[in-house]
Amino acid sequence: MKEIKLPFVLRLALILVSILAIGYLAKIGKGVLAPLFFSFLMALLFLPFANFLERKAKFSRTISTFSSLLVMLTFLSGLIYFFTVQLGDFANDFPTLKSQVFKSFEQLQVWVSHNFHVNFTKQMSYINQALEKVLSSTAVILGFTFSMFSSTMAFFVFSALFFIFLLNYRRILYGFIISVFHERHFYKVNDAILEIQKIIKIYISGLLIQILIVSILTSILLSILGVKYAILLGVLTGLLNVIPYVGVLIAGLMACLISFATGVNHTFFVLLGYIVIHIIDANIVLPLVVGSKVKINALFTFIGLLIGEELWGISGMFLSIPFLAILKIIFERIEGLEPWGKLLGEESKMNKIRRKYKITKKITLEEKE
C-alpha cells in the first residue's frame, strides 16, 4: 500500500483535532475512565500477588482475584476510617481553633505596635482583612482535603468492579493487545507491555514507601515541636506529597496555620522542617525508592497536574503522573515518537570528554570537559 504524505499544516491540524477529541471524551467520561485507570494501576500492583496465589497456593483465578480485592479494600477502608475520625475531631475543634487564631493575632498586634510603632487603628483594619482571607483560605484548604478523601461511592464501586474484571480477564486483554499489531512488531509490543508492567509496579510500590517515610518524618517533626494533630498532618503530608510541588505546599501551609492557631511558638521551625523534609525526599528518598526510569521533568509534571485537575479533578492530579510515565514508555518504543519520550523525561547527562596530560613517565593528569 502506497504511503500518502500529507502537508505539515494538515498533519498538525489532524493532531490538534485528535487531542481535542480525546480530551473531550476524557472529560465527559470522567465517571468511568477515572476509576478504570485507577483500577488498572491497582491491578498491575496486585498482579504478582494474584500470580503467587495461583501458582504457589493453587488458588483458582476467581479466588485469587477476590483475595487481592479483599486486601485492597481492607487497606482503603482503614485509610478512609482513619481520616474520617481525625477530620471529625478536627471539625469539632474548628470553632476553638478559630478563636485561638483571633487571640494569636491580637497578641501579634500588640507586639507589632510596641516594636514598630504602627497606628493601632490602621493595624486593626489590616489584621481584620488578613483574618478574613486566612479563614476563607482555611475553609478552601479544608474543603479541598475533605473532598479528596470523601470520593463518591460510585468511584469505589466502579473501581472494585474494574479491578475484578482486569485481574480476571488479564490474559484475554493481553492477547487482544498483542493481536492488534502486526506479527513483525510482536517483540516490540510485548517488550513495551512488560516494561510498563514492571515500571508501574516499581513506581506504585515506591510511591507507597515514599508516602510512609514522609508521613513518619513529618509526624515526628510535628510531635517534637508540639503541634496539635501531628499524626493527621503527617499522614496528610505523605499523601499530598504524591502531587508534586503543589501537595507539599498545601500541607506545609496547613501545618503552619494550625501551629500558629494553637499558640505554638515554633511556626518558623515547622516551615523550616517541611523544607528540610522536602529536600530529603526529593534528593534521597525519591531516587532510591522510585528511581529515574519513570521520572518526568518538572515542566510536563506541572502541565500534567493542571490538565489532570481540569479533566478529572483531584483524582486526575494523582493519576496524571503515572499516565505520563506510561506515555513516556510507549513513546520511547514507537518509531517516530522517540523525541516525545525524550521530551517528557529528564535531561540526559552528556558523556564527558577526558583529556590526558603526561607530566612524567609515572604521572598523568586527566581533565574532564
Side-chain angles (χ1 to χ4, degrees), residues 292-344:
S292 59
K293 289 185 179 180
V294 79
K295 195 169 183 182
I296 310 297
N297 64 60
L299 173 62
F300 283 92
T301 297
F302 189 67
I303 293 174
L305 290 175
L306 294 179
I307 295 176
E309 197 280 332
E310 180 65 27
L311 293 177
W312 292 351
I314 297 170
S315 60
M317 297 179 72
F318 282 98
L319 297 175
S320 61
I321 307 304
F323 180 76
L324 288 175
I326 293 175
L327 282 183
K328 180 174 179 290
I329 296 170
I330 294 174
F331 287 161
E332 289 174 345
R333 281 159 178 78
I334 296 180
E335 186 178 354
L337 295 179
E338 296 93 338
W340 292 95
K342 293 180 180 179
L343 182 64
L344 292 175

Side-chain angles (χ1 to χ4, degrees), residues 16-186:
L16 293 176
V17 170
S18 300
I19 292 174
L20 290 174
I22 293 172
Y24 177 73
L25 292 175
K27 181 71 174 179
I28 64 175
K30 171 187 174 182
V32 175
L33 295 178
L36 175 61
F37 188 65
F38 174 76
S39 302
F40 171 72
L41 296 177
M42 290 297 102
L44 287 179
L45 181 63
F46 279 90
L47 183 58
F49 178 68
N51 288 333
F52 172 81
L53 293 179
E54 291 179 22
R55 295 172 183 172
K56 301 296 182 180
K58 304 301 181 182
F59 284 11
S60 65
R61 179 77 58 79
T62 304
I63 296 177
S64 67
T65 299
F66 278 95
S67 299
S68 303
L69 177 65
L70 181 62
V71 173
M72 184 184 74
L73 291 180
T74 301
F75 173 76
L76 292 177
S77 300
L79 194 63
I80 292 172
Y81 175 78
F82 169 79
F83 278 103
T84 301
V85 173
Q86 293 291 325
L87 289 175
D89 294 339
F90 185 80
N92 293 332
D93 292 344
F94 187 73
T96 305
L97 290 174
K98 186 176 179 181
S99 63
Q100 288 177 342
V101 168
F102 280 99
K103 184 178 179 180
S104 299
F105 269 108
E106 287 177 0
Q107 294 174 354
L108 182 62
Q109 284 177 335
V110 174
W111 182 82
V112 170
S113 178
H114 177 74
N115 290 278
F116 297 98
H117 307 287
V118 179
N119 185 277
F120 190 77
T121 305
K122 291 183 178 180
Q123 191 185 146
M124 281 293 294
S125 63
Y126 295 150
I127 293 297
N128 288 332
Q129 292 175 7
L131 273 175
E132 290 179 2
K133 292 180 180 179
V134 168
L135 292 176
S136 62
S137 63
T138 303
V140 171
I141 292 174
L142 287 175
F144 173 84
T145 306
F146 185 76
S147 63
M148 183 177 60
F149 296 105
S150 60
S151 301
T152 59
M153 184 60 68
F155 181 87
F156 288 106
V157 171
F158 279 125
S159 296
L161 290 174
F162 284 136
F163 181 82
I164 294 172
F165 294 144
L166 289 172
L167 270 185
N168 206 40
Y169 298 109
R170 59 184 181 270
R171 287 187 176 85
I172 295 178
L173 295 172
Y174 171 78
F176 168 76
I177 295 173
I178 292 295
S179 62
V180 165
F181 297 91
H182 197 275
E183 290 183 0
R184 68 173 181 268
H185 300 306
F186 170 79

Side-chain angles (χ1 to χ4, degrees), residues 215-278:
S215 299
I216 292 174
L217 290 176
T218 310
S219 299
I220 292 174
L221 168 71
L222 298 178
S223 298
I224 292 174
L225 295 176
V227 179
K228 202 173 183 181
Y229 311 109
I231 297 178
L232 172 63
L233 290 172
V235 177
L236 269 177
T237 303
L239 290 171
L240 288 172
N241 193 57
V242 175
I243 305 176
Y245 312 112
V246 179
V248 69
L249 177 63
I250 294 174
L253 289 175
M254 290 179 63
C256 290
L257 183 61
I258 292 177
S259 172
F260 181 78
T262 52
V264 180
N265 297 322
H266 300 306
T267 305
F268 172 76
F269 293 103
V270 171
L271 180 61
L272 183 62
Y274 264 79
I275 294 173
V276 172
I277 290 175
H278 178 65

Side-chain angles (χ1 to χ4, degrees), residues 342-356:
K342 293 180 180 179
L343 182 64
L344 292 175
E346 290 284 352
E347 184 179 1
S348 58
K349 295 181 179 179
M350 302 295 292
N351 293 327
K352 296 182 177 180
I353 302 174
R354 295 186 177 183
R355 293 181 179 177
K356 295 183 178 181

